[in-house]
Amino acid sequence: MHEHKEAPPVNPLPPVVVILFLAIALPEVAFSLGAQGLVGGAEAVGWRLASVQNYAFSGEIFDWMMERGQWPGEHLLRFLTYSFVHTGFTSALFAGVLLLALGKLVGETMGQVAVLVLFFGGAVFGALAYGVLLNDPNWLIGGYPATYGLIGGYSFVMWQSLGARGEEQLRAFNLIAMLMGIQLLWGVFFDVGNGWVADLAGFVFGFGASAVLVPGGVARVLAVFRRD
């Protein structure tokens, strides 16, 4: 007799999503515990600030590299490392939740390599947009541009699926519209800075890159333009 194995109630997360989540969560746990004096001694209070200075993306540093044509590795790494440093626990929590939800969807439909491409590509493209389009002296930190890259991938899959069923494809952009609307509303009451520029750029990268990552994606995009 064949042994019957019940399917798990919750599909396991792709390993690459778990690794990325831990890369966000573990530093935040250390920063939070250190700020409360529970680990690291007196120096732990400054761990977050030191991490921002060492790993966050800086538009001013980017301008300096552009002007001199010099590209030190330690500063190029900032295009990636800023995604794993956050302003506080709440910011890291929301970034982690988005990563788990969107990373699972993208990983199951497009594969784990696509998750890495969209996550880190969104981070790099978001930082580039922040550095090129703005003259903002504030640090760019947080995993949102990277996770918005995953939202772009999810939106492309939805856009493709809705088109195949003959349904309204604009519905694929409901999630990004809702999130950007929340940021706009939040900005009315609080100074949220210009990070939304990097977030939106990350989404644009994710959506565009997915046309290449999804088999037949480019052909479907071209077909839409030909119909127009």
Side-chain angles (χ1 to χ4, degrees):
M1 296 179 63
H2 294 288
E3 191 175 323
H4 177 68
K5 294 183 179 180
E6 293 186 3
V10 179
N11 291 332
L13 289 166
V16 68
V17 175
V18 175
I19 293 172
L20 290 173
F21 175 77
L22 291 176
I24 289 176
L26 293 180
E28 184 56 40
V29 170
F31 297 152
S32 299
L33 293 178
Q36 298 175 32
L38 299 177
V39 296
E43 295 182 358
V45 176
W47 280 353
R48 189 186 301 276
L49 178 59
S51 294
V52 169
Q53 294 174 340
N54 291 329
Y55 301 114
F57 178 82
S58 167
E60 293 180 337
I61 293 177
F62 177 75
D63 291 341
W64 177 86
M65 291 191 293
M66 289 284 291
E67 291 171 1
R68 289 165 175 74
Q70 299 176 10
W71 307 93
E74 61 183 300
H75 294 319
L76 288 177
L77 282 175
R78 293 176 183 271
F79 282 90
L80 304 177
T81 56
Y82 79 90
S83 299
F84 304 105
V85 182
H86 293 80
T87 56
F89 178 81
T90 302
S91 177
L93 176 63
F94 281 118
V97 169
L98 282 175
L99 170 61
L100 291 177
L102 277 301
K104 176 178 171 61
L105 291 169
V106 172
E108 290 176 347
T109 56
M110 299 171 63
Q112 296 191 71
V113 172
V115 172
L116 290 175
V117 171
L118 297 181
F119 183 88
F120 287 113
V124 171
F125 199 76
L128 278 174
Y130 189 85
V132 171
L133 300 178
L134 303 175
N135 187 27
D136 194 330
N138 293 316
W139 297 100
L140 175 64
I141 60 174
Y144 293 99
T147 54
Y148 272 57
L150 295 174
I151 294 173
Y154 164 77
S155 298
F156 183 86
V157 172
M158 286 292 296
W159 177 83
Q160 184 175 253
S161 176
L162 290 169
R165 298 198 300 267
E167 299 180 24
E168 177 54 63
Q169 288 179 287
L170 285 178
R171 287 167 49 199
F173 302 100
N174 286 348
L175 178 58
I176 183 65
M178 181 189 70
L179 290 174
M180 296 307 294
I182 291 174
Q183 287 196 350
L184 178 63
L185 181 63
W186 197 254
V188 173
F189 301 101
F190 304 98
D191 182 13
V192 297
N194 294 316
W196 66 269
V197 174
D199 298 342
L200 186 58
F203 171 83
V204 170
F205 171 86
F207 191 88
S210 296
V212 179
L213 294 169
V214 174
V218 174
R220 290 184 178 89
V221 172
L222 293 176
V224 170
F225 284 114
R226 291 192 184 103
R227 286 200 302 269
D228 294 340

